[in-house]
Protein backbone atom coordinates (compact mmCIF):
# COMPACT_ATOMS: atom_id res chain seq x y z
CA UNK A 1 0.00 0.00 0.00
CA UNK A 2 2.86 2.35 0.87
CA UNK A 3 4.47 1.60 -2.51
CA UNK A 4 1.23 2.39 -4.34
CA UNK A 5 0.81 5.61 -2.38
CA UNK A 6 4.35 6.61 -3.24
CA UNK A 7 3.74 6.00 -6.94
CA UNK A 8 0.53 8.03 -6.91
CA UNK A 9 2.25 10.86 -5.03
CA UNK A 10 5.12 10.89 -7.51
CA UNK A 11 2.71 10.92 -10.46
CA UNK A 12 0.82 13.85 -8.95
CA UNK A 13 4.07 15.71 -8.37
CA UNK A 14 5.15 15.19 -11.99
CA UNK A 15 1.82 16.51 -13.17
CA UNK A 16 2.21 19.62 -11.02
CA UNK A 17 5.59 20.44 -12.54
CA UNK A 18 4.33 19.85 -16.06
CA UNK A 19 6.12 16.54 -16.66
CA UNK A 20 2.96 14.58 -17.40
CA UNK A 21 2.28 14.19 -21.13
CA UNK A 22 -0.22 16.73 -22.49
CA UNK A 23 -3.66 15.31 -23.21
CA UNK A 24 -4.40 14.32 -26.79
CA UNK A 25 -7.58 14.05 -28.82
CA UNK A 26 -9.17 10.77 -29.87
CA UNK A 27 -10.86 9.72 -33.11
CA UNK A 28 -14.19 10.33 -31.39
CA UNK A 29 -13.28 14.03 -31.00
CA UNK A 30 -12.90 14.56 -34.75
CA UNK A 31 -16.26 16.08 -35.69
CA UNK A 32 -16.72 18.20 -32.57
CA UNK A 33 -13.39 20.09 -32.69
CA UNK A 34 -13.39 23.30 -34.80
CA UNK A 35 -11.17 22.87 -37.86
CA UNK A 36 -10.28 24.75 -41.03
CA UNK A 37 -8.94 23.18 -44.22
CA UNK A 38 -6.78 26.03 -45.53
CA UNK A 39 -6.17 24.57 -49.00
CA UNK A 40 -9.07 23.18 -51.03
CA UNK A 41 -10.50 23.82 -54.50
CA UNK A 42 -14.30 24.15 -54.75
CA UNK A 43 -14.73 24.18 -58.52
CA UNK A 44 -18.29 22.90 -58.77
CA UNK A 45 -21.53 24.80 -58.18
CA UNK A 46 -22.77 22.35 -55.59
CA UNK A 47 -23.51 22.20 -51.88
CA UNK A 48 -21.66 18.88 -51.43
CA UNK A 49 -18.40 20.41 -50.20
CA UNK A 50 -20.14 22.74 -47.75
CA UNK A 51 -22.34 19.93 -46.44
CA UNK A 52 -19.56 17.46 -45.69
CA UNK A 53 -17.43 20.25 -44.21
CA UNK A 54 -20.24 21.26 -41.89
CA UNK A 55 -20.83 17.63 -40.87
CA UNK A 56 -17.14 17.14 -40.09
CA UNK A 57 -16.65 20.45 -38.26
CA UNK A 58 -14.64 22.25 -40.95
CA UNK A 59 -14.42 25.73 -42.35
CA UNK A 60 -12.95 25.87 -45.85
CA UNK A 61 -10.48 28.11 -47.67
CA UNK A 62 -10.99 27.48 -51.37
CA UNK A 63 -8.17 28.61 -53.64
CA UNK A 64 -8.72 29.89 -57.16
CA UNK A 65 -5.75 29.01 -59.35
CA UNK A 66 -4.66 29.54 -62.97
CA UNK A 67 -4.50 25.78 -63.64
CA UNK A 68 -5.50 24.41 -67.06
CA UNK A 69 -7.14 21.28 -65.58
CA UNK A 70 -9.53 23.49 -63.59
CA UNK A 71 -12.50 25.48 -64.91
CA UNK A 72 -11.67 28.96 -66.32
CA UNK A 73 -10.75 31.59 -63.74
CA UNK A 74 -14.01 33.50 -64.24
CA UNK A 75 -16.00 30.33 -63.47
CA UNK A 76 -13.89 29.55 -60.40
CA UNK A 77 -14.45 33.11 -59.17
CA UNK A 78 -18.20 32.95 -59.74
CA UNK A 79 -18.48 29.74 -57.71
CA UNK A 80 -16.34 31.14 -54.89
CA UNK A 81 -18.37 34.35 -54.73
CA UNK A 82 -21.63 32.38 -54.55
CA UNK A 83 -20.45 29.94 -51.88
CA UNK A 84 -18.91 32.69 -49.76
CA UNK A 85 -22.08 34.79 -49.95
CA UNK A 86 -24.14 31.77 -48.88
CA UNK A 87 -22.02 31.10 -45.77
CA UNK A 88 -19.33 33.74 -45.14
CA UNK A 89 -18.48 32.38 -41.70
CA UNK A 90 -17.50 28.95 -42.97
CA UNK A 91 -16.50 29.37 -46.63
CA UNK A 92 -13.49 31.56 -47.38
CA UNK A 93 -11.57 31.89 -50.63
CA UNK A 94 -8.38 33.11 -52.25
CA UNK A 95 -8.42 34.99 -55.52
CA UNK A 96 -5.74 35.09 -58.22
CA UNK A 97 -4.71 36.73 -61.47
CA UNK A 98 -3.92 35.45 -64.95
CA UNK A 99 -0.43 35.41 -66.38
CA UNK A 100 -1.77 36.08 -69.88
CA UNK A 101 0.00 39.10 -71.33
CA UNK A 102 2.69 39.30 -68.67
CA UNK A 103 5.30 41.80 -69.77
CA UNK A 104 2.89 43.97 -71.75
CA UNK A 105 1.99 47.52 -70.70
CA UNK A 106 -1.48 46.68 -69.45
CA UNK A 107 -0.72 43.52 -67.49
CA UNK A 108 -0.18 45.10 -64.06
CA UNK A 109 -3.43 47.06 -64.26
CA UNK A 110 -5.30 43.92 -65.34
CA UNK A 111 -3.81 41.88 -62.48
CA UNK A 112 -4.71 44.56 -59.94
CA UNK A 113 -8.28 44.71 -61.22
CA UNK A 114 -8.55 40.93 -60.96
CA UNK A 115 -7.46 40.78 -57.33
CA UNK A 116 -9.54 43.83 -56.44
CA UNK A 117 -12.63 42.09 -57.83
CA UNK A 118 -11.86 39.16 -55.55
CA UNK A 119 -11.37 41.45 -52.55
CA UNK A 120 -14.69 43.16 -53.26
CA UNK A 121 -16.40 39.78 -52.95
CA UNK A 122 -14.57 38.81 -49.74
CA UNK A 123 -11.30 37.15 -50.81
CA UNK A 124 -8.87 36.73 -47.89
CA UNK A 125 -5.74 35.85 -49.89
CA UNK A 126 -4.15 35.80 -53.35
CA UNK A 127 -2.69 32.65 -54.93
CA UNK A 128 0.24 32.34 -57.32
CA UNK A 129 0.87 28.97 -58.91
CA UNK A 130 3.81 26.90 -60.14
CA UNK A 131 3.21 28.09 -63.72
CA UNK A 132 5.33 31.05 -62.59
CA UNK A 133 8.78 29.52 -62.88
CA UNK A 134 7.80 26.31 -64.63
CA UNK A 135 5.56 27.32 -67.56
CA UNK A 136 4.70 31.01 -67.98
CA UNK A 137 6.64 33.19 -70.41
CA UNK A 138 6.56 36.92 -70.97
CA UNK A 139 5.59 38.71 -74.16
CA UNK A 140 9.11 38.22 -75.49
CA UNK A 141 8.95 34.44 -74.93
CA UNK A 142 11.23 34.45 -71.89
CA UNK A 143 10.50 32.24 -68.86
CA UNK A 144 9.09 34.20 -65.93
CA UNK A 145 10.17 33.64 -62.31
CA UNK A 146 8.51 34.93 -59.15
CA UNK A 147 11.45 37.16 -58.19
CA UNK A 148 11.05 39.11 -61.45
CA UNK A 149 10.84 42.82 -60.52
CA UNK A 150 7.87 43.19 -62.86
CA UNK A 151 5.81 41.50 -60.15
CA UNK A 152 6.71 44.22 -57.64
CA UNK A 153 3.72 46.50 -58.36
CA UNK A 154 1.10 43.75 -57.95
CA UNK A 155 2.81 42.45 -54.83
CA UNK A 156 2.92 45.96 -53.37
CA UNK A 157 -0.78 46.28 -54.17
CA UNK A 158 -1.58 43.02 -52.35
CA UNK A 159 0.61 43.99 -49.39
CA UNK A 160 -1.06 47.40 -49.13
CA UNK A 161 -4.40 45.66 -48.77
CA UNK A 162 -3.01 43.62 -45.86
CA UNK A 163 -3.80 40.36 -47.65
CA UNK A 164 -1.52 37.28 -47.57
CA UNK A 165 -0.01 35.61 -50.62
CA UNK A 166 -0.29 31.83 -51.02
CA UNK A 167 2.54 30.65 -53.26
CA UNK A 168 2.90 27.25 -54.88
CA UNK A 169 6.45 27.34 -56.14
CA UNK A 170 8.40 24.37 -57.48
CA UNK A 171 7.08 20.84 -56.88
CA UNK A 172 7.79 17.91 -54.56
CA UNK A 173 11.42 16.90 -54.86
CA UNK A 174 10.13 13.60 -56.24
CA UNK A 175 9.35 15.55 -59.43
CA UNK A 176 13.06 15.52 -60.28
CA UNK A 177 13.53 11.77 -59.61
CA UNK A 178 12.92 8.69 -61.77
CA UNK A 179 9.51 7.14 -61.12
CA UNK A 180 11.04 4.12 -59.36
CA UNK A 181 12.95 6.38 -56.97
CA UNK A 182 10.00 8.49 -55.87
CA UNK A 183 9.08 8.08 -52.22
CA UNK A 184 5.27 8.10 -52.59
CA UNK A 185 2.73 6.52 -54.91
CA UNK A 186 0.61 9.68 -55.16
CA UNK A 187 3.55 11.61 -56.62
CA UNK A 188 4.34 8.73 -58.96
CA UNK A 189 0.75 8.73 -60.24
CA UNK A 190 0.46 12.49 -60.56
CA UNK A 191 3.66 12.98 -62.54
CA UNK A 192 2.99 10.00 -64.75
CA UNK A 193 -0.35 11.62 -65.64
CA UNK A 194 1.10 15.16 -65.93
CA UNK A 195 4.30 14.72 -67.95
CA UNK A 196 4.49 18.44 -68.67
CA UNK A 197 5.23 19.02 -64.96
CA UNK A 198 7.50 15.97 -64.54
CA UNK A 199 10.87 17.70 -64.47
CA UNK A 200 12.97 14.53 -64.50
CA UNK A 201 11.99 14.18 -68.15
CA UNK A 202 12.75 17.85 -68.87
CA UNK A 203 16.41 18.32 -67.90
CA UNK A 204 16.49 21.54 -69.93
CA UNK A 205 14.07 23.12 -67.44
CA UNK A 206 15.01 24.86 -64.14
CA UNK A 207 16.15 22.55 -61.37
CA UNK A 208 14.48 22.04 -58.01
CA UNK A 209 17.30 24.01 -56.39
CA UNK A 210 16.88 26.93 -58.82
CA UNK A 211 13.14 27.17 -58.21
CA UNK A 212 13.36 27.02 -54.42
CA UNK A 213 16.15 29.62 -54.51
CA UNK A 214 13.84 31.91 -56.51
CA UNK A 215 11.15 31.39 -53.90
CA UNK A 216 13.57 32.31 -51.13
CA UNK A 217 14.72 35.43 -52.95
CA UNK A 218 11.10 36.45 -53.41
CA UNK A 219 10.32 36.07 -49.70
CA UNK A 220 13.42 38.07 -48.81
CA UNK A 221 12.50 40.71 -51.41
CA UNK A 222 9.04 41.24 -49.85
CA UNK A 223 9.58 40.99 -46.07
CA UNK A 224 6.31 42.75 -45.22
CA UNK A 225 4.14 40.61 -47.48
CA UNK A 226 2.45 37.84 -45.47
CA UNK A 227 3.65 34.63 -47.13
CA UNK A 228 2.10 31.15 -47.05
CA UNK A 229 4.26 28.48 -48.70
CA UNK A 230 1.73 26.07 -50.16
CA UNK A 231 2.46 22.35 -50.01
CA UNK A 232 5.04 22.73 -47.22
CA UNK A 233 6.89 25.25 -49.41
CA UNK A 234 7.99 22.31 -51.60
CA UNK A 235 10.26 21.20 -48.74
CA UNK A 236 8.01 18.25 -47.90
CA UNK A 237 10.86 15.76 -48.23
CA UNK A 238 12.74 17.01 -45.14
CA UNK A 239 11.42 18.52 -41.93
CA UNK A 240 15.01 19.64 -41.29
CA UNK A 241 15.05 21.71 -44.49
CA UNK A 242 11.59 23.08 -43.76
CA UNK A 243 12.71 24.07 -40.26
CA UNK A 244 15.63 25.99 -41.79
CA UNK A 245 13.24 27.82 -44.11
CA UNK A 246 10.92 28.75 -41.23
CA UNK A 247 13.88 29.92 -39.13
CA UNK A 248 15.24 32.01 -42.01
CA UNK A 249 11.86 33.67 -42.67
CA UNK A 250 10.21 33.97 -39.24
CA UNK A 251 7.01 35.58 -40.53
CA UNK A 252 6.26 32.93 -43.16
CA UNK A 253 3.87 30.01 -42.68
CA UNK A 254 3.34 26.83 -44.69
CA UNK A 255 0.37 24.60 -45.33
CA UNK A 256 0.40 20.79 -45.33
CA UNK A 257 -1.77 20.31 -48.42
CA UNK A 258 -1.22 17.10 -50.41
CA UNK A 259 2.06 16.37 -48.62
CA UNK A 260 1.00 14.22 -45.65
CA UNK A 261 2.37 11.05 -47.21
CA UNK A 262 5.85 12.59 -47.52
CA UNK A 263 5.65 13.49 -43.83
CA UNK A 264 4.63 9.93 -43.01
CA UNK A 265 7.65 8.56 -44.86
CA UNK A 266 9.80 10.65 -42.52
CA UNK A 267 7.92 9.82 -39.34
CA UNK A 268 8.21 6.11 -40.11
CA UNK A 269 11.98 6.66 -40.30
CA UNK A 270 12.21 8.90 -37.22
CA UNK A 271 8.93 9.36 -35.39
CA UNK A 272 10.34 11.46 -32.55
CA UNK A 273 12.01 13.96 -34.90
CA UNK A 274 8.88 14.58 -36.96
CA UNK A 275 6.70 14.92 -33.88
CA UNK A 276 9.19 17.39 -32.36
CA UNK A 277 9.10 19.43 -35.57
CA UNK A 278 5.30 19.80 -35.38
CA UNK A 279 5.48 20.79 -31.73
CA UNK A 280 8.29 23.32 -32.26
CA UNK A 281 6.68 24.98 -35.29
CA UNK A 282 3.09 24.66 -34.10
CA UNK A 283 2.43 28.37 -34.75
CA UNK A 284 3.65 28.22 -38.37
CA UNK A 285 1.75 25.26 -39.82
CA UNK A 286 -1.69 25.33 -41.46
CA UNK A 287 -3.73 22.21 -42.02
CA UNK A 288 -4.72 21.70 -45.67
CA UNK A 289 -5.51 18.84 -48.02
CA UNK A 290 -5.78 20.05 -51.65
CA UNK A 291 -9.16 18.33 -51.86
CA UNK A 292 -10.65 19.24 -55.23
CA UNK A 293 -14.34 19.18 -56.14
CA UNK A 294 -14.38 19.75 -59.90
CA UNK A 295 -17.07 19.02 -62.49
CA UNK A 296 -17.15 15.41 -63.60
CA UNK A 297 -14.82 14.82 -66.53
CA UNK A 298 -14.22 11.30 -67.88
CA UNK A 299 -11.00 12.56 -69.52
CA UNK A 300 -9.68 14.19 -66.34
CA UNK A 301 -6.16 13.24 -65.31
CA UNK A 302 -5.14 12.14 -61.84
CA UNK A 303 -5.49 14.71 -59.11
CA UNK A 304 -3.51 14.84 -55.89
CA UNK A 305 -5.20 13.46 -53.79
CA UNK A 306 -6.90 11.21 -56.41
CA UNK A 307 -10.61 11.55 -57.00
CA UNK A 308 -12.97 8.64 -56.36
CA UNK A 309 -16.23 9.73 -57.98
CA UNK A 310 -17.83 10.15 -54.54
CA UNK A 311 -16.56 13.50 -53.35
CA UNK A 312 -18.22 13.55 -49.95
CA UNK A 313 -16.71 10.18 -49.04
CA UNK A 314 -13.33 11.21 -50.45
CA UNK A 315 -13.29 14.36 -48.30
CA UNK A 316 -14.48 12.59 -45.17
CA UNK A 317 -11.96 9.76 -45.61
CA UNK A 318 -9.06 12.17 -46.19
CA UNK A 319 -9.93 14.37 -43.24
CA UNK A 320 -10.40 11.44 -40.86
CA UNK A 321 -7.17 9.78 -41.99
CA UNK A 322 -5.18 12.98 -41.38
CA UNK A 323 -6.83 13.45 -37.98
CA UNK A 324 -5.94 9.90 -36.98
CA UNK A 325 -2.32 10.53 -38.00
CA UNK A 326 -1.85 13.98 -36.48
CA UNK A 327 -4.07 13.84 -33.39
CA UNK A 328 -3.87 10.23 -32.19
CA UNK A 329 -1.19 7.56 -31.66
CA UNK A 330 -3.12 5.06 -33.77
CA UNK A 331 -1.52 3.38 -36.75
CA UNK A 332 -3.17 3.08 -40.17
CA UNK A 333 -2.27 1.66 -43.58
CA UNK A 334 -1.24 4.38 -46.05
CA UNK A 335 -1.46 3.28 -49.66
CA UNK A 336 0.75 6.14 -50.88
CA UNK A 337 3.73 4.77 -48.97
CA UNK A 338 2.75 1.07 -48.99
CA UNK A 339 3.18 0.91 -45.22
CA UNK A 340 1.41 1.54 -41.94
CA UNK A 341 1.97 4.97 -40.36
CA UNK A 342 1.70 5.35 -36.55
CA UNK A 343 0.09 8.62 -35.48
CA UNK A 344 1.99 11.58 -34.05
CA UNK A 345 -0.43 12.08 -31.12
CA UNK A 346 0.17 15.83 -31.05
CA UNK A 347 -1.03 17.65 -27.92
CA UNK A 348 -4.50 19.17 -28.07
CA UNK A 349 -3.12 22.71 -28.02
CA UNK A 350 -0.90 21.97 -31.02
CA UNK A 351 -3.77 20.39 -32.93
CA UNK A 352 -6.01 23.39 -32.20
CA UNK A 353 -3.41 25.74 -33.70
CA UNK A 354 -2.56 23.69 -36.78
CA UNK A 355 -6.17 22.87 -37.55
CA UNK A 356 -7.80 26.19 -36.72
CA UNK A 357 -6.35 29.16 -34.92
CA UNK A 358 -3.23 29.62 -37.07
CA UNK A 359 -5.25 29.95 -40.27
CA UNK A 360 -7.84 32.23 -38.70
CA UNK A 361 -5.07 34.51 -37.43
CA UNK A 362 -2.96 34.47 -40.60
CA UNK A 363 -5.88 35.16 -42.95
CA UNK A 364 -7.48 37.71 -40.58
CA UNK A 365 -10.76 35.79 -40.37
CA UNK A 366 -13.49 37.23 -38.18
CA UNK A 367 -16.65 35.95 -36.61
Amino acid sequence: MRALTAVLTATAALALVGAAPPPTYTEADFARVPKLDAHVHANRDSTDFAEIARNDGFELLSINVDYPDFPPLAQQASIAYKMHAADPKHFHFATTFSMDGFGTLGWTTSAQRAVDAGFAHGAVAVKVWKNIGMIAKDAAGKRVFLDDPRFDPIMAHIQARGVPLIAHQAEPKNCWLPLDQMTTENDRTYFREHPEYYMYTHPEEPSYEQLTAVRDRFVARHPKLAFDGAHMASLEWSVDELARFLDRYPDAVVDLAARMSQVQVQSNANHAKVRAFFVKYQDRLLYGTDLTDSPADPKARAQNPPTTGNFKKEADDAWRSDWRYLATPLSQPVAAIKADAPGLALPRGVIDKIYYTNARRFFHLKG
Side-chain angles (χ1 to χ4, degrees):
M1 186 65 179
R2 288 181 180 178
L4 177 59
T5 302
V7 169
L8 293 174
T9 302
T11 301
L14 286 172
L16 287 174
V17 299
T24 59
Y25 287 119
T26 68
E27 284 190 297
D29 293 316
F30 168 74
R32 72 168 187 83
V33 176
K35 301 176 295 296
L36 196 158
D37 189 330
H39 192 136
V40 303
H41 302 284
N43 295 334
R44 190 165 61 98
D45 188 1
S46 166
T47 60
D48 286 354
F49 214 154
E51 288 172 1
I52 189 61
R54 185 164 50 250
N55 289 345
D56 284 356
F58 273 98
E59 295 178 32
L60 300 173
L61 174 56
S62 182
I63 299 175
N64 292 352
V65 61
D66 193 10
Y67 179 26
D69 281 7
F70 283 1
L73 286 179
Q75 185 177 341
Q76 292 181 51
S78 177
I79 292 168
Y81 298 168
K82 180 177 179 179
M83 295 181 75
H84 175 68
D87 190 357
K89 289 186 177 180
H90 297 94
F91 186 91
H92 319 286
F93 73 97
T95 188
T96 191
F97 51 80
S98 172
M99 285 297 292
D100 291 347
F102 184 85
T104 62
L105 288 176
W107 182 84
T108 296
T109 298
S110 176
Q112 290 178 348
R113 287 175 178 167
V115 298
D116 284 345
F119 298 153
H121 286 86
V124 298
V126 176
K127 171 69 178 285
V128 294
W129 192 53
K130 66 185 180 186
N131 58 336
I132 301 174
M134 297 183 73
I135 300 171
K137 296 181 179 180
D138 65 14
K142 183 180 178 182
R143 179 63 54 82
V144 179
F145 296 91
L146 192 58
D147 63 345
D148 191 312
R150 289 175 291 182
F151 282 114
D152 287 354
I154 184 63
M155 296 304 162
H157 185 73
I158 295 167
Q159 179 184 311
R161 296 294 298 266
V163 175
L165 183 78
I166 304 171
H168 177 173
Q169 288 288 280
E171 280 287 71
K173 199 171 185 182
N174 280 338
C175 180
W176 282 265
L177 298 176
L179 289 172
D180 61 0
Q181 293 182 26
M182 290 186 183
T183 56
T184 66
E185 287 296 318
N186 50 332
D187 280 345
R188 192 171 291 116
T189 300
Y190 180 85
F191 291 115
R192 184 186 295 117
E193 295 291 332
H194 294 80
E196 69 272 36
Y197 306 135
Y198 182 22
M199 292 299 102
Y200 176 74
T201 62
H202 299 284
E204 74 282 1
E205 295 292 341
S207 68
Y208 172 83
E209 290 76 16
Q210 286 175 295
L211 292 171
T212 53
V214 165
R215 187 269 322 285
D216 289 355
R217 288 197 297 271
F218 174 84
V219 178
R221 185 185 184 94
H222 301 278
K224 294 183 180 179
L225 178 64
F227 184 87
D228 172 8
H231 308 296
M232 299 182 76
S234 293
L235 296 168
E236 73 298 319
W237 60 280
S238 170
V239 293
D240 293 328
E241 289 297 321
L242 183 52
R244 280 189 271 274
F245 171 81
L246 292 171
D247 290 344
R248 191 180 309 124
Y249 305 107
D251 295 323
V253 303
V254 300
D255 74 39
L256 307 176
R259 300 296 182 265
M260 202 67 76
S261 57
Q262 287 92 340
V263 175
Q264 289 164 334
V265 167
Q266 294 173 75
S267 66
N268 275 4
N270 191 331
H271 190 275
K273 180 171 77 170
V274 172
R275 188 178 188 277
F277 167 83
F278 275 83
V279 172
K280 180 176 180 179
Y281 295 97
Q282 61 186 273
D283 297 311
R284 315 283 297 283
L285 308 175
L286 312 179
Y287 178 73
T289 57
D290 211 16
L291 282 166
T292 300
D293 186 17
S294 284
D297 179 1
K299 298 179 180 179
R301 298 178 293 175
Q303 295 294 325
N304 190 359
T307 54
T308 63
N310 183 344
F311 180 75
K312 283 188 173 182
K313 184 178 187 304
E314 178 189 343
D316 183 67
D317 287 349
W319 283 334
R320 289 180 184 274
S321 175
D322 289 348
W323 179 267
R324 183 182 176 103
Y325 174 66
L326 293 172
T328 84
L330 302 174
S331 186
Q332 63 184 309
V334 178
I337 63 173
K338 296 182 178 179
D340 287 354
L344 296 180
L346 296 173
R348 291 188 179 205
V350 175
I351 289 293
D352 291 342
K353 290 179 179 180
I354 293 173
Y355 267 92
Y356 194 65
T357 57
N358 289 347
R360 290 194 62 84
R361 180 192 71 248
F362 185 76
F363 294 110
H364 309 294
L365 302 180
K366 299 177 182 178

